[in-house]
Amino acid sequence: MDILSKFKKTVGNAVRSKNARMQICMMGARGVGKTSVLTSMFHDLNAVNSNSNLFLTTMEDEQSKLDMTAGIILKKHEELLEMFDGAAKGKSVPSGGISGDMEERSYYFQFGVKGKAARIDLVIKDFPGEYLKDHPDDVRGFIANSSAIVIAIDTPHLMEENGRFNEVKNRVSLVTEFIKGEFAQLEDDKLVLFVPLKCEKYQLEGRMEEVREAVERSYGELLDFFSGSGIKAHIAAAITPIFTVGEVAFSDFKRDDAGEVKVLSAGLPARAEYVYTKAGAQYHPQYCEQPLCYLLAFITKLYQRTKSSDSGGFFSKLAAIFRLFPDDPELLLEIGKFSRKRVRDKDGYKILIGAHLM
């Protein structure tokens, strides 16, 4: 069965539903690899979830009423597979990375127990860093109803050249100030995941703890804010690295004849260069499912804390999800199984704040 037929069989003809809804707000620079992560999460969920009965599928876009997510995921999957045509150890990857655009993009998924109808809609909205500055109200409105905020980090720009390009690429100050402003009067529990992407080089070199330390330093101001007495009780935060493509690793930034990094007028390197890490390298991402594992662990704990209470605010916005659990104990059981697959305390993973909330 070719990949297109297999994909269509997997996706089916999902339709808009009145299911319970969870939202994830993603923030990160263009081309950092967010679409690749979602593609891998979708395609690999059943493989990493072989001991559970959860399934994930795409569904129709709220605006177009078309399954746009399926098309985006399929196209990206084909691009990722084609990236490995002619792979040889040390050979440069032709694309030199993955491009992106400056528009926000929404992805629509559903999940539930295999053999049954989907019960929960998962809406993931990707806001490029520039969007926080140019369209702040759009981001605020989505965050207010989101269970989790994912901060996608371009790891080579974080780590290389002593972090020289980290600020201009990852917009650390902008992200920090935006979230501090949004969470200043926080009364609802929120999950914040710092997700370094394109980490393969540092995994191969045994430097994932250095990546973790660099994330903590870079976002130190935000983490200090989370630790403040007025907000600490409501925040769960973790570092959850992802090896976005697998057997491809960052090599260097493009350099001029003098050996200096070629820099664009915007202050970014002209190009990030990647190479295959082995002969016959293949598309082999790792840990792409982990943000979903952490989200479901967070939601399950939130349910356990609030099931006997009559909480308002954000809790009431999740009431539809909470009502599912007593009605469908199998769903709660399978979510529990999946959330226990969380990676902890290795490969740069660390729960920073609010372990009791996860």
Side-chain angles (χ1 to χ4, degrees), residues 140-181:
R140 291 190 186 104
F142 193 77
I143 285 180
N145 296 312
S146 293
S147 308
I149 293 87
V150 171
I151 300 172
I153 301 167
D154 188 298
T155 307
H157 287 78
L158 169 73
M159 296 291 291
E160 301 297 320
E161 298 288 305
N162 294 315
R164 171 186 171 190
F165 302 111
N166 180 38
E167 177 63 36
V168 69
K169 179 67 172 182
N170 289 312
R171 304 292 185 100
V172 177
S173 298
L174 178 62
V175 169
T176 294
E177 291 306 311
F178 188 88
I179 294 180
K180 285 174 62 177

Side-chain angles (χ1 to χ4, degrees), residues 11-51:
V11 172
N13 295 311
V15 297
R16 288 295 307 156
S17 68
K18 296 181 179 179
N19 288 345
R21 175 182 173 117
M22 286 194 292
Q23 293 186 175
I24 298 177
C25 177
M26 294 185 72
M27 302 177 180
R30 290 181 292 153
V32 74
K34 291 170 287 183
T35 305
S36 299
V37 167
L38 294 177
T39 299
S40 298
M41 180 184 74
F42 176 80
H43 278 277
D44 297 343
L45 184 63
N46 287 335
V48 301
N49 200 22
S50 57
N51 295 323

Side-chain angles (χ1 to χ4, degrees), residues 158-159 172 210 212-221 223:
L158 169 73
M159 296 291 291
V172 177
E210 291 182 35
R212 176 191 61 76
E213 291 169 359
V215 171
E216 291 192 62
R217 285 195 305 272
S218 183
Y219 293 89
E221 181 181 343
L223 293 175

Side-chain angles (χ1 to χ4, degrees), residues 10-246:
T10 302
V11 172
N13 295 311
V15 297
R16 288 295 307 156
S17 68
K18 296 181 179 179
N19 288 345
R21 175 182 173 117
M22 286 194 292
Q23 293 186 175
I24 298 177
C25 177
M26 294 185 72
M27 302 177 180
R30 290 181 292 153
V32 74
K34 291 170 287 183
T35 305
S36 299
V37 167
L38 294 177
T39 299
S40 298
M41 180 184 74
F42 176 80
H43 278 277
D44 297 343
L45 184 63
N46 287 335
V48 301
N49 200 22
S50 57
N51 295 323
S52 173
N53 284 322
L54 284 184
F55 73 89
L56 184 73
T57 187
T58 61
M59 68 180 196
E60 287 181 356
D61 186 299
E62 288 178 328
Q63 301 298 321
S64 69
K65 305 302 180 184
L66 300 173
D67 193 352
M68 303 295 290
T69 298
I72 294 169
I73 294 294
L74 174 58
K75 180 180 178 182
K76 179 57 66 176
H77 192 250
E78 291 175 338
E79 289 177 0
L80 290 168
L81 292 178
E82 290 172 359
M83 182 189 297
F84 290 88
D85 289 347
K89 184 175 181 179
K91 180 180 177 181
S92 295
V93 177
S95 63
I98 301 168
S99 62
D101 55 46
M102 296 178 65
E103 299 300 317
E104 63 87 10
R105 179 174 286 170
S106 296
Y107 301 86
Y108 296 90
F109 299 93
Q110 294 178 316
F111 68 91
V113 177
K114 294 174 184 177
K116 297 183 178 181
R119 302 299 303 275
I120 298 177
D121 295 347
L122 178 64
V123 181
I124 303 173
K125 188 165 286 192
D126 169 15
F127 293 102
E130 298 85 349
Y131 221 82
L132 303 185
K133 181 179 179 180
D134 298 337
H135 304 278
D137 290 341
D138 292 350
V139 186
R140 291 190 186 104
F142 193 77
I143 285 180
N145 296 312
S146 293
S147 308
I149 293 87
V150 171
I151 300 172
I153 301 167
D154 188 298
T155 307
H157 287 78
L158 169 73
M159 296 291 291
E160 301 297 320
E161 298 288 305
N162 294 315
R164 171 186 171 190
F165 302 111
N166 180 38
E167 177 63 36
V168 69
K169 179 67 172 182
N170 289 312
R171 304 292 185 100
V172 177
S173 298
L174 178 62
V175 169
T176 294
E177 291 306 311
F178 188 88
I179 294 180
K180 285 174 62 177
E182 289 308 295
F183 286 8
Q185 305 298 323
L186 188 66
E187 297 180 354
D188 307 324
D189 293 356
K190 296 284 189 184
L191 173 65
V192 180
L193 298 178
F194 297 89
V195 185
L197 304 176
K198 304 177 183 175
C199 295
E200 287 84 350
K201 171 185 176 179
Y202 312 100
Q203 182 191 37
L204 289 170
E205 295 176 351
R207 298 172 58 198
M208 288 307 299
E209 282 303 296
E210 291 182 35
V211 172
R212 176 191 61 76
E213 291 169 359
V215 171
E216 291 192 62
R217 285 195 305 272
S218 183
Y219 293 89
E221 181 181 343
L222 185 56
L223 293 175
D224 288 344
F225 171 74
F226 288 164
S227 297
S229 59
I231 188 176
K232 186 175 181 179
H234 296 296
I235 289 289
I239 299 174
T240 58
I242 287 174
F243 308 115
T244 311
V245 180

Side-chain angles (χ1 to χ4, degrees), residues 90 92-93 96-97 154 156-157 159-161 164-165 201-202 205 248-256 259-262 269-275:
S92 295
V93 177
D154 188 298
H157 287 78
M159 296 291 291
E160 301 297 320
E161 298 288 305
R164 171 186 171 190
F165 302 111
K201 171 185 176 179
Y202 312 100
E205 295 176 351
V248 161
F250 173 81
S251 173
D252 199 357
F253 294 121
K254 184 174 182 177
R255 297 179 180 272
D256 59 24
E260 298 296 324
V261 176
K262 294 190 70 172
R271 186 171 74 238
E273 299 175 337
Y274 294 80
V275 297

